[in-house]
Amino acid sequence: MGKPLRLLVTCVPASIVLIALFVYATRSRFTGEVTRIDNNQDQRKVDEHDVQEGVALETNSIALEGSLMVPSHSGKDDLRSNSTWNPCTFDICFNLEKCPFTHPFATYVYDDLLTSSSNENPFSPQLLVDVLKETGSYTSDPTKACVFFSILWNRESERENVGHLEKKIHSLAQWGAYGENHVLVELSTDQSPGRSMLEGVSTGKAIIARSVISPAKLFSTGFDILLPPLRTAEADSMDLLSPLLPVSRETFIHFHGEHCPHQHPGPGAITPEHIRSLQQLLKGKERVDIQLQCQQPATGKTKGAKEGQWMLCGDQKSRLELCSKSMFSLVPSPGGPNAGTGVGIYTRLIESLMCGSIPVVVGVGVLPFDEVIDWSRAGLIVPSGRYSDILHILRSVSSGDIQNFRLKGRHLWYTYFSSPLRVVQIAVAIVRSRTLHPPPPAPHFLGKQLLYSCPPPQADYLSFLHQ
Amino acid sequence: MGKRLKPLKLLVICVPASIVLSALIVYATRSRFTCEVTGIDNNLDLDEHDVQEGKDDLRSNSTWNPCTFDICFNLEKCPLTRPFATYVYNDLLTSSSNENPFSPQLLVDVLKETGSYTSDPTKACVFFSILWNREREIENVGHLETQIHSLAQWGEYGENHILVELSTDQSPGRSMLEGVSTGKAIIARSVISPAKPFSTGFDILLPPLRTAEADSMDLLSPLLPVSRDTFIHFHGEHSPHQHPGSGAITPQDIRSLQQLLKGKERVDIQLQCQQPATGKTKRAVEGQWMLCGDQKSRLELCSKSMFSLVPSPGGANAGTGVGIYTRLIESLMCGSIPVVVGVGVLPFDEVIDWSRAGLIVPSGRYSDILYILRSVSSGDIQNFRLKGRHLWYTYFSSPLRVVQIAVAIVRSRTLHPPPPAPHFVGKQLLYFPAPHHKQITSPSFTNSFTAYSWSFWNDIPGPLFSYPSSPFNPGLHFSRLNEVAISHSASQSAKGRAAIESTFKKNFLVNVPPEQFTVVIITYKRNKELMEGLAHLKGIPSLNKVVIVWNNEDDPSADLKWPDIGIPIVVVRGKGNSLNNKFLPYKEIETEAVLQLDDDVLMAPEEIEFGFRVWCENRERMVGFFGRSHIYNFKDKRWNYGKTNCMFSMSLTGCTFIHKTYMYLYSYLMPKEVRARVDHIMDCEDIAMNFLAAHLSRKPPMKVCTNSDFHCAGCKANISKKKYFFHERSVCIQFLTRIYGYQPLLYTQSRTDPETTEIPFSE
C-alpha cells in the first residue's frame, strides 16, 4: 500500500514541476507575451507620438502586447564575412532592434568632430544637436538611441591624417564590431579636395553620408546618402534668389568652367570639345554665355582635384549673378564609372536652383538625395549619349515647363538645400523613413493661458447646439 | 673693348636662352592653365564621340558589370530625329506550346499600333527577343546561349537587345538565363537569383503572367466596403531550407503572428495547402512560399480579407520566385492590401511607387507588424485600393500590357517622348469655312521631353501615351483672360481699347494666350432641329469651330440650308451609328475645351460664353447647365438615377464643357466593356462620361445657372422620352459602379452665377 502512495507522492509534484517548466520555457514562443510596462510615463509618450487617428484607443494595448520575434537572422554567420554585406542594403546592414516603435526615433550625436574644427568651417555638432532636440529626435543616452551620427569635415589639411581616421572611427563609443546603425557624415565645401576622406578606410556597416564619390569608395545606392556640398555654417539668404519670372532671359544657355584634363576620359565624359561644339552650333541662333577659362582663379583647383572635373569660376555671388541672366545652365559630367565625382557638379546644380536657371544635367549618375527627390521635375536630366540632341531638347521646353521647373527648383532648394543644418536634418529624416518611424508631429504652440472663463463643451456639445 | 664685349656676349647668350626657356615653360604649363584643345570643324557629329571615347574600357568585362544605362546602351541607334523604333525577333528563343500561346506576333501588332515597330532591323533602336521560362526547357540551357549569341543583330555584346523572359506561376523558381552570358543586353524577367544578379536601373523586373489573354475585369472585387470579414490572410506552403538567408520569414514567424492576433482579429492563415501547392516542382527554390490552389480560388479567398501577407523567402536577392509577385498582383486585384515584408525588388519598381499601393515593410520590422496594420486608417485603405486597382489596370492586366510597359520603360531611358495618343480621323462629309473668323488654336504637346516624372508613371492617365494637353497640369497659371473680354470694356474706340489692354497686361502680368472652344454636336435624322440649334450659335466670341458628328447612315442631302454663323462648320462621320462617337477625339478639334451639345438644345450666347469662362477656371471638371443625380435606394440596395432639387452629381452632356483629353480617355483608357454597353442599349454615354470625369478628377461637376430648361417642349419625341428611361439609366449606374469597383460620383450643392457688377478699369 505504501508503494503506489509513494509513487503518487513523488510523481505528481514532479510532473507538475515538469509541466510548469515546460510552459515557462515555451511561453514566450507561442503566446508572445511580454511583461507589462508599469511606467505610465512611457505610455503617455507613446500616445503623444502617435499621429494616426485611427489607432488612438489601441495604442496602450499594443504597447503591452509586445512584439513578435524578429525574423531569424540565422544568416548572422554570413554577416561576419565581408562579402555578404558588400554592398550594404538596409535589410542586411541595419539593426532595427534598437529602433522599436514604442520609443520615438532617437538619434545620438558624438560630441567631437572626427576631424579637427577650424575657423573656416564653424559647423559644429552642437548646432545639429539643438535642431534635433527641437524635433524631439535627440537623446543624450546612447543606449536609447537608434542611430548614431558622427561628423567629419572633408578638408585639404586633413588628408595627412587618414591613417588616424580609421582608428578614430573604430574607437567610437558605440561602434561595436561593425558600426551598425552609425551614420558617418562627411561634409564638403566647394573648397574641398575631389577625394573622399574615407577612401581606404574600413567603415563596416555604417551609412556614409557624403558629397564626393569615387571608385575607391563605392556608393551603395539605397544605403549611402549623397549630400550636397555646403558653403558655410549659415543658411543661404533668400536675397540670393532670383525672381521666377519673366520666363525669357537674356542668354539661352550658360556655362563657366575650367576643365582639368585627363588622359583617359571615362565613358560619358563631357570634354571642352563638346562644349565648344555646342557653342558653335548655337552661334547666331541663340545668345550663349560659355567660358572655358576662368577669369578669376578657378575654385577647387587644389592638388587633390580629380582629372576630368569641371572646376567652378569665381565665388558664389558672382556665379549666381551670371546664371540669373540665363535660361539654362549646363551641368556636365566628368565621366567615369562613378560619374558625378567632385563637388563642382553639385554646387553648379544647387546654384542653378537658386538663380532659377534650369539645370541641364548631362551624364551624371547620382544626384544629391536622389533616393527621395525627383530631380526630373527640377531640371533636365539627360544621359550622356543624348548630348548630341541637346539643342532639340532645349528648344522643346515650353514656358509652362520652365515655370514648373523654376517653382519646383525653388521649393527643393528651400526645403533641402538652404542651410547645412537643413541638409543634415534631411539625412536624419531619410534614415528615419527607412526605419518606418513617422515624421515628428509639427509642434503646436502652447501659449500662456491668461483667462479661462468657462469649461470647454464636453460630449454633449451636439445637444448643446440643438437646444 | 674686351670689357664692353663681355656684357654684349652675356646679352647675346642670355636673351635667346631665356626666350627659349620661357617658351618651354609656357608650353609645358599651357594645358594646366589654359586647358585649350584644338578646334573642331564638324559641329554635330563630333558630339557623338563622348560614348566612343571610353570604348577601350568597355571591352573588358569588368567595367560593364554591373551594367548601367550610360555604359551598356548605345544611343547612336536612337536619334531623337527618328521615332523610337523597336524590332521583334520572329521566333521565340524557346519553343512555343499550347500552354503558353503568347506569340511575338501579338507584341508586334501592339507595337505597330503605337507606331513603335519597324520591320527593318537597321532602323531599330532596341531589339526584343522573347523566351518562355518553362520546366522542360531547363535541359536546353546550353543551346540557349548559342541561340542568343546567334541572333541576327547581336553583334559582339548584344547592345540594345532586350531579352524578355516570361514566367507563369508554373515556372520553375530559377531563371533560364542562369549561367548564360548575356553581354550587354537588358534582361526583363520575373525570377531573380544570386547566380544571375539583377542590375538595378538596367534590368527590368516583370510580373509573372498567367495566360496570353487579359485578365477579365469580372475577377476584380469591389473597393468598398472598407471593412471585410478577415483582418489578414495568408495561404501558403513553405519549401524548407537549411540556411535561411537574412530577413527570411519562416513558418514560425507566421504562426506567432497568428497567435498574437488570436481573439483580437479574425485571421485566415493556413500553412498547408489543401489543394496541391502550385510551383512545387523539383526546381523550387529553397525558402519559397508556394501558392495554394488556382487563381480563382485564391482571389475568392483574399477578397474577404483586408490585408494580405506577402512574405520574403529571405536571402541575398530577396524576391526570388514568382510566388511572391503573383501574391502581390492578386492582392491588387482583390483589393486586399498587400503587406510586403522584406522583399527587395518589386515589379517595375523603377517607375511604380509601390508604397502607395501597399505596405512595404523591411524584414526587421516584422515584429511591429500589428502596430503598423492597426494604424492604417479607412482613408488610407481606400487610397491603397484605388491606387492598387489603377496599377493593376495600367501595368498588369494582360501580358501585352506588361511587355508594352517594358518597351515604355526602355523608351523613357532614351528620352524619347511617349507616342501621341491617336486622334480619330473620321470621314469629312462637309466643310464650311469662315474666312473672316479669327481662330485661336490651343498649343499641343508642349512637354515632349519633360513628360517623364514620378507622377507620369503613377497617376492617371498612365504611361503609354502622351496627350496634347492635360487638364491636371496647371503650371504657374494666372487667370486666363480673353482679349475679347477686355475689348468689351467701357471704351469703344480702338485706341481706348488698346490702351486698356496694355495697362491690364502690364499690371496683371497676363502672359497666357487666350483660348477658344469647339462645339461638338451629334445628330441623327433631325435636320430641322439641327439647323435651328446651329443658328443659335451665332455671336459667341470664344467659339472656334463647330464639329457635327453625323450618325445618319445617309450623307447629308444637298438641299439642306446650313446657316451662316461666321464660324467654320465641319460635318464628320464617326464609327457607325454609335453614341460613343460623341466622345471620339476628332482631329478637327483644335482647342482644349469642347462643348458637347445636343442638336435640340437652344441656349443664349451669353450663357454659353459665361459657361466657357467658368470652365477655364475649372479645367479638370465637367462644367454644364443641367444637373442630374444618383440616389441610393435602401430598400433594393442599389443606385438609382434621378433628378433632385437640392443637389446633383452629374452634368448632362447635352450641354457641357469638357477637356479634350477626357475624350481621349473615354475612347482609349476607359474599359471597353463600358463602350460596349453604351452601344448595346443606345444610351448612358453621358453617365459613363460623368463617371470617368469624377473618377479621374475626384471632383463633382460644376453647374452654371441658366434660364433655359433642357427639354424642348415642341420638339419631336427623342431618345430621352422612351418608356423605361429612368429604369434603364439606373441599371447603367449600377453596371458602372460594378466596373469601377466603387461609386465615384460626388454630390455638390453649389451653382455658379456670373458677376454682374461692372468695375471700371482705372488707368
Side-chain angles (χ1 to χ4, degrees), chain B residues 612-665:
Chain B
F612 173 60
R613 300 209 192 150
V614 171
W615 178 90
C616 288
E617 295 170 23
N618 298 279
R619 309 173 78 80
E620 74 282 7
R621 301 165 80 158
M622 298 181 68
V623 177
F625 296 83
F626 309 107
R628 293 292 182 268
S629 166
H630 66 296
I631 311 150
Y632 194 65
N633 183 335
F634 282 94
K635 186 166 73 93
D636 300 327
K637 290 207 192 329
R638 56 166 197 232
W639 294 101
N640 281 348
Y641 173 81
K643 182 170 187 223
T644 62
N645 282 332
C646 68
M647 59 188 182
F648 64 97
S649 56
M650 290 187 274
S651 177
L652 289 176
T653 58
C655 191
T656 300
F657 286 91
I658 53 175
H659 196 284
K660 188 181 174 191
T661 303
Y662 281 128
M663 293 166 71
Y664 281 101
L665 299 177

Side-chain angles (χ1 to χ4, degrees), chain A residues 52 54-55 62 68 101, chain B residues 231-233 257 261 265 267 306-309 337-341 358-359 361 365-366 368-378 380-381 384:
Chain A
Q52 306 290 341
V55 77
I62 292 172
L68 305 165
F101 277 150
Chain B
F231 185 66
I232 190 165
H233 143 280
L257 177 65
L261 289 171
E265 306 274 6
V267 302
M306 285 176 71
F307 292 98
S308 266
L309 192 61
I337 296 160
V339 183
V340 184
V341 185
L359 292 166
V361 178
R365 277 272 173 248
Y366 183 74
D368 298 304
I369 200 86
L370 181 58
Y371 195 67
I372 298 175
L373 291 180
R374 285 266 184 86
S375 75
V376 177
S377 62
S378 317
D380 277 341
I381 293 180
F384 279 146

Side-chain angles (χ1 to χ4, degrees), chain A residues 328-331 348-349 352-353 357-361 378-381:
Chain A
F328 293 98
S329 265
L330 192 62
V331 181
R348 253 185 240 285
L349 182 62
S352 70
L353 297 182
S357 165
I358 296 161
V360 183
V361 183
L380 292 167
I381 317 294

Side-chain angles (χ1 to χ4, degrees), chain B residues 622-631 639-644 647-656 684-694 699-703 726 729-730 732-734 736 743-748:
Chain B
M622 298 181 68
V623 177
F625 296 83
F626 309 107
R628 293 292 182 268
S629 166
H630 66 296
I631 311 150
W639 294 101
N640 281 348
Y641 173 81
K643 182 170 187 223
T644 62
M647 59 188 182
F648 64 97
S649 56
M650 290 187 274
S651 177
L652 289 176
T653 58
C655 191
T656 300
C684 296
E685 83 288 356
D686 48 355
I687 300 183
M689 177 52 95
N690 271 284
F691 265 72
L692 182 70
K699 289 202 174 136
M702 288 208 76
K703 182 164 147 68
F726 274 84
R729 286 164 85 78
S730 302
C732 271
I733 293 186
Q734 289 146 31
L736 285 165
Q743 171 59 269
L745 298 177
L746 295 164
Y747 288 113
T748 176

Side-chain angles (χ1 to χ4, degrees), chain A residues 30 62 65 67-68 71 74 91 99 101 259 265 268 273-274 277 374 384 386 396 398 401 403-405 435, chain B residues 35 40 47 50 53 70 78 244 248 252 256 259-260 264 363 365 367-368 371-372 414 446 449-450 454 475-476:
Chain A
F30 284 124
I62 292 172
E65 275 164 338
S67 39
L68 305 165
S74 49
D91 265 345
C99 316
F101 277 150
H259 194 234
E273 268 176 28
H274 295 121
S277 56
D374 185 3
S384 49
R386 278 274 171 250
S396 76
S398 62
D401 280 339
Q403 292 169 10
N404 283 335
F405 280 146
T435 68
Chain B
C35 292
I40 299 176
D47 301 338
D50 48 6
E53 279 173 19
D70 264 343
C78 316
Q252 263 176 23
S256 55
Q259 285 299 320
L260 194 61
K264 290 166 199 156
S363 50
R365 277 272 173 248
S367 46
D368 298 304
Y371 195 67
I372 298 175
T414 69
T446 52
F449 297 106
T450 52
W454 209 232
L476 262 182

Side-chain angles (χ1 to χ4, degrees), chain A residues 267-284:
Chain A
I270 307 291
T271 60
E273 268 176 28
H274 295 121
I275 302 197
R276 241 182 280 268
S277 56
L278 179 65
Q279 198 174 9
Q280 285 298 319
L281 193 61
L282 289 170
K283 211 173 203 167

